Every structure is written in structure tokens, then in C-alpha cells.
Amino acid sequence: MKYLSFIVALLLSLLVFAALYAPAQEAAATKTTAAEQDSIVLGSGCFWGAEMRYEQLPGVIDAVSGYADGKGVKPTYRAITKRSNKNNPDNHAEVVQVSFDPTQISLEALLQHYFESHDPTQLNRQGNDIGTQYRSIILTNSPEQQARAAAVMQQYQPLLTAAGYGQIVTQLKPLTAFFPAEDYHQDYIAKNPNGYCPDHATGVRFDRDNAAQTAEVDNREMLTGKHILVIDSESYCPYCEKFKAEVASSYQGDIPMHFRFASQLQGLSIKTETTATPTIILLQEGREVFAFKGYLAPDEFYLLLGKFKLGDSEAFDVAFDKATDQRFCKEYQIFKNTPDGIFIDKLSGAALFDTRDRFNSGTGWLSFTKAVDGAVTERPDNRYGMRRTEIRAKVSGIHLGHVFPDGPNGQPRYCINATVLDFVPRPAAG
């Protein structure tokens, strides 16, 4: 019993020791981590896009939007955006406090990203954002940071000069105070998923291990016919990635889609400012016909593309559910007896129906017993006093027709408008 009592007492002592020691150990670990961190405050125009881009850099621990370098002006968004402060040299600048791990990203690498992500030769502005709140500024926390930032700036100036830009006007000062911005400004772009990222980059890059500058591309293809041009970001832009994932990845249409940086538009006639990513520009013979700044959802993109490709036509009215093909229309006569192949979406290029499932229903509309697997969606259509099931293209969302239960041998009959389809012959077996 004495030994048992001793063992129980020992175990209890160990548990108490562990409970007391664990918080101290955790605090020590936190203190060590904090000691390895560094921070710097950077202003490069509107802080929304800047904050998001810093957060995507490996080694950046946190990025906080805020205000700094002002005096006599309240550090709030309402105060700094007053008309009376637009040209006030004592106004606060919109800045981002970047905390980073120097073992993962050096101060020099962070500052290279900073200079490449905006135009440091613009005084008190970035693009259409004009005023002292948008000034280019670096606020350091030590003389060492000050010297290293000055060295990076000196490295960048010759590169800008060679590209035809003027002198860097970025202010370099010690930080006196940083004021975090209001909650609704933090992670602003993540909270607003259907917008655009402001992009004022010059396209001039640092020579990293003699890497090439942003390459010029051959745009001659876009000088003939119709094209879709998407202005992409040279750094991370969630709206660009969302457009690529939700629209571009499934687009197979016959109007080519091209992605370019704003610095890669040589030879094209573009009227719209390309300081937002994404910007979707419709081109004809190399000239801008229409442009939209920001993310477009699939239904919005295909409505825009429909107008561009189809114009004011029966096909457009059918695709966007304003009309139905005439019985035995011209397109029906062309498509009713094609060789072996696939009918595709006139806008997205996605496969919709196979000639092997086609049959002559005698109705004057193309008829199929099935659609390509996963190519269409169904929804109830109770208009005009009828109970029908509407068929739409899954990728583009355009109206295709209806499905009825009166096909051959008890199969469905997909009654489809020919004007919204194109035909592709099946490749010969090799």
C-alpha cells in the first residue's frame, strides 16, 4: 500500500507540474516566434488590393490595412477622403503594415514586390486614384531597414529609366505611428467576391538571377477577326483566378480567348484603361469594341459573348429565351442529315448532342433521345399554361429547347433549336 500511495502521489505531482509548465512553454515558443518576425509599413495607393497581394506572398505572416504619416488629420477613412484633404501634404496615406518572417522572405524580396506592384513614379496618385492619401511611401522601423530600402530603390531606378519611366517619387521615412483601418477595410477584396483588383504595375521587373523582364508577346493573331482579351494580373488576383476557374476553364468557343498583362498589349488598339484585373475586352480586327472592368459570372459572360458573336439575330433571341426556332428552319434543314459527329454549344463550344442519338421526329425541330452526359440542365417551365421541362446548356446557360416523354421506344425526345448549335464532324478513327 505504501508503494501504491507513493506512485499515486508521484503521478499527481507530474500532472500538476505539466499543467504549470505547459503555459510557460507555450509562451516561450510564442515569444521566440515573435522575436523572429519583422514588419514594415508600405503605401502604394489604395490599400485594398495591396493588402491582399502581400498576404499571398510566402513568408508574409499578416497584412493589415491602415493609415500613417499624417498629422492634424484624424486617422479614419472618412477624414482622409474629405475634399479638403485631397492635396493636404499632412494627410495620412493609405498603407499596409506587413509582418513577415525574414527566414522565409527577405526584406529586399518584399520591397521588390512592392515596387513592381505599383507605379512609384506617380506623385500622389495611382491611376485614377488622385490625392495625397495615395502617395507612394515606405515607413521603416530601424535605420537598417531605411538603408536596405534605399538600396532596393536605387536598384529599381535604372530599370524604370530604361523602360521610359521618370524618377521614383516614393517617400522613405521612419514610422512614427500606424493606425489600423476600420474593420470593413480589412480583407476587403475577400469580402467582395465579384469585383476587380486595382493594378497599377509598370511591368518593369527586377533582374532576379538575370531573369528576363516581362516578355513581349506576339499579338498579330488578334489583328484579324473577333477575339476575347482578358487583362490578367502579374501577381495574385482572386477575381482573375475565379474567372479562370468558373469561365475560362470550360470555354471552348470559336472566338479565341487570350490572357495578357497590361504591359503586353503591343499592336492593339485599346481605349479602356487597363489598371484593373480582370478586364474583359472584346476585339474586332485588333480594335476594342467593348470592355468590362471586373469579374464576370458565367451567365454575364455568355450574355456579353452572345451579343458580340450573334448580334441582333434569331439565334441570340433563342439562346436567351426570347424566341423559338421556326419549324423546318434553315439551320434545321442543314443539321437534320449531317454526317457522324457532335452538335456543340454555339457560344461555349461544349459538346451537347451526338448524331448517334438523333432521330427524325417529324416535328420540324432537331430531336435526340439523350444529351451528352453532364452537358445540359433541366428545369420546370410552366409558361403559356403548359407544363414542360426546359433544357439549358450547362456551361453557358443558354436555352436549348425542351424534353418530352414521347421519343421512340419509350425514350425521351429532346426537342432542340438548331440555331443555337454548331456541328463538328467526328474524327475518323486512326
Side-chain angles (χ1 to χ4, degrees):
M1 289 296 291
K2 286 194 298 181
Y3 290 112
L4 180 60
S5 300
F6 173 75
I7 292 170
V8 170
L10 178 61
L11 288 173
L12 288 173
S13 299
L14 289 172
L15 288 173
V16 171
F17 174 77
L20 293 172
Y21 177 68
Q25 188 178 37
E26 183 179 345
T30 302
K31 183 177 180 181
T32 301
T33 302
E36 294 173 352
Q37 294 182 18
D38 199 358
S39 67
I40 193 167
V41 174
L42 305 170
S44 55
C46 177
F47 46 28
W48 293 339
E51 176 205 43
M52 173 270 303
R53 290 190 176 104
Y54 294 130
E55 287 176 341
Q56 299 302 317
L57 295 176
V60 169
I61 298 165
D62 194 17
V64 180
S65 294
Y67 314 108
D69 194 46
K71 58 182 180 181
V73 178
K74 193 174 181 181
T76 66
Y77 194 72
R78 183 174 182 179
I80 72 166
T81 55
K82 284 183 177 180
R83 184 182 296 272
S84 59
N85 284 322
K86 183 176 182 179
N87 298 311
N88 180 3
D90 293 329
N91 195 13
H92 288 282
E94 291 190 24
V95 294
V96 179
Q97 185 181 60
V98 184
S99 300
F100 61 100
D101 182 348
T103 66
Q104 296 185 45
I105 183 171
S106 67
L107 177 64
E108 285 73 16
L110 180 59
L111 289 171
Q112 286 177 347
H113 170 85
Y114 163 77
F115 279 113
E116 290 174 350
S117 68
H118 75 297
D119 185 349
T121 69
Q122 290 192 329
L123 181 64
N124 295 332
R125 69 178 296 174
Q126 285 296 302
N128 291 328
D129 292 334
I130 301 173
T132 52
Q133 77 187 77
Y134 300 113
R135 61 188 178 272
S136 178
I137 188 168
I138 300 172
L139 298 166
T140 60
N141 63 20
S142 69
E144 179 191 358
Q145 267 197 355
Q146 187 95 357
R148 293 168 70 183
V152 175
M153 191 185 307
Q154 290 170 4
Q155 294 167 10
Y156 199 47
Q157 183 62 70
L159 301 176
L160 286 170
T161 302
Y165 286 87
Q167 293 297 304
I168 293 174
V169 296
T170 303
Q171 298 177 18
L172 181 55
K173 298 180 177 181
L175 175 68
T176 55
F178 170 78
F179 303 94
E182 298 81 353
D183 285 345
Y184 70 92
H185 286 301
Q186 308 301 335
D187 300 314
Y188 182 87
I189 287 181
K191 294 173 183 174
N192 295 270
N194 296 331
Y196 63 88
C197 295
D199 187 356
H200 303 293
T202 61
V204 178
R205 309 295 294 270
F206 280 87
D207 294 317
R208 296 181 177 88
D209 299 324
N210 297 318
Q213 300 291 299
T214 301
E216 289 192 11
V217 295
D218 188 349
N219 292 327
R220 285 177 293 180
E221 178 188 354
M222 286 188 271
L223 300 179
T224 304
K226 293 183 176 182
H227 295 265
I228 305 163
L229 171 64
V230 183
I231 306 301
D232 198 3
S233 174
E234 295 194 47
S235 56
Y236 177 75
C237 170
Y239 303 121
C240 298
E241 299 309 310
K242 188 177 182 182
F243 181 80
K244 291 172 187 175
E246 297 184 357
V247 179
S249 64
S250 56
Y251 177 73
Q252 305 170 63
D254 57 4
I255 296 181
M257 181 182 293
H258 312 265
F259 284 81
R260 295 288 189 271
F261 301 141
S263 57
Q264 296 177 321
L265 306 180
Q266 298 85 0
L268 303 176
S269 180
I270 308 296
K271 299 178 292 185
T272 299
E273 286 191 358
T274 55
T275 56
T277 58
T279 294
I280 292 88
I281 302 176
L282 305 180
L283 297 174
Q284 187 158 4
E285 313 303 329
R287 306 183 71 86
E288 177 185 325
V289 174
F290 181 82
F292 181 86
K293 182 171 67 174
Y295 167 80
L296 279 175
D299 57 339
E300 299 167 329
F301 170 78
Y302 282 107
L303 178 60
L304 178 63
L305 179 63
K307 274 295 183 185
F308 185 47
K309 180 175 181 177
L310 307 176
D312 294 325
S313 65
E314 181 183 19
F316 178 86
D317 290 341
V318 171
F320 296 97
D321 204 16
K322 297 179 181 178
T324 298
D325 285 353
Q326 296 295 317
R327 293 182 65 201
F328 303 104
C329 70
K330 178 180 68 175
E331 288 80 4
Y332 167 80
Q333 300 295 347
I334 295 171
F335 287 157
K336 68 178 182 179
N337 292 312
T338 62
D340 190 35
I342 302 292
F343 290 97
I344 64 174
D345 184 325
K346 205 175 192 77
L347 295 183
S348 76
L352 296 174
F353 298 95
D354 195 310
T355 54
R356 295 170 182 174
D357 304 310
R358 179 180 57 188
F359 69 96
N360 184 0
S361 65
T363 61
W365 287 282
L366 290 177
S367 298
F368 304 88
T369 56
K370 58 179 285 192
V372 170
D373 289 346
V376 303
T377 60
E378 300 181 3
R379 68 184 190 184
D381 180 1
N382 299 325
R383 294 172 298 174
Y384 312 117
M386 296 183 283
R387 291 184 177 273
R388 298 181 294 176
T389 299
E390 182 190 12
I391 300 298
R392 286 184 174 266
K394 185 175 182 179
V395 172
S396 68
I398 64 171
H399 171 76
L400 300 174
H402 294 84
V403 60
F404 301 97
D406 55 4
N409 302 316
Q411 298 178 88
R413 172 173 62 92
Y414 286 79
C415 183
I416 302 301
N417 295 289
T419 53
V420 294
L421 302 179
D422 278 329
F423 176 75
V424 179
R426 197 184 313 275

